[in-house]
Amino acid sequence: MRRLAPALDGLDVAFVSVDKRYAEAVSSHRFYTVVNATRWNRLRLVRLAAQLMLVLIIERPHVVITTGAAPGVIALALAKLFFHSRTIWIDSIANCEQMSLSGILARRFSDAWLTQWPQLQRAGGPDYWGAVL
């Protein structure tokens, strides 16, 4: 997401991460830290969802952009369902052969569903708009 930051210049942006060390990199923006969770730890997923919902209540975003994993899917779903936010999923650059499981799950909640690999682009998505490098 930090690599996308120049595209967001001049906009009111808040960042959410599972790693508080990233706060310094986006110090001119609001920053929230949430727990990391995977499908293998459902209690943490519940806690993560509660934390993300609180952030969404505070921020009430018009647009949510994420680069992945369970926190990103949950954030997109909550933002789309409860706040009618526009949502953008950008699958991780690491997924060069197929979309990640999180990416596949995010499709349902994404207004723009993107891959960073042109060979993964298909009719009906995911779309390829370039890579974030």
Side-chain angles (χ1 to χ4, degrees):
M1 285 304 302
R2 290 182 301 149
R3 292 183 179 174
L4 292 175
L8 307 173
D9 279 349
L11 301 175
D12 183 25
V13 178
F15 287 86
V16 178
S17 176
V18 297
D19 191 335
K20 65 182 178 185
R21 292 177 294 178
Y22 291 126
E24 190 174 311
V26 292
S27 60
S28 61
H29 301 281
R30 293 177 306 287
F31 185 88
Y32 301 90
T33 303
V34 294
V35 297
N36 196 7
T38 69
R39 61 186 160 147
W40 307 114
N41 190 321
R42 294 181 184 197
L43 288 177
R44 286 184 76 112
L45 284 173
V46 171
R47 182 175 170 204
L48 171 64
Q51 289 178 321
L52 289 169
M53 189 60 148
L54 181 60
V55 171
L56 291 167
I57 288 169
I58 293 168
E59 294 293 334
R60 299 195 178 268
H62 296 285
V63 179
V64 174
I65 304 170
T66 182
T67 55
V73 174
I74 293 170
L76 285 189
L78 293 173
K80 177 57 77 184
L81 295 173
F82 294 103
F83 300 93
H84 308 289
S85 304
R86 303 286 297 170
T87 55
I88 300 173
W89 174 272
I90 305 170
D91 210 45
S92 169
I93 192 77
N95 302 312
C96 62
E97 295 182 6
Q98 62 184 18
M99 292 292 282
S100 66
L101 176 60
S102 296
I104 292 168
L105 294 172
R107 179 179 191 175
R108 178 177 177 189
F109 307 104
S110 301
D111 295 302
W113 187 52
L114 306 175
T115 176
Q116 297 188 58
W117 294 97
Q119 69 270 21
L120 296 181
Q121 179 175 254
R122 303 279 185 272
D127 292 321
Y128 173 74
W129 294 357
V132 183
L133 293 176

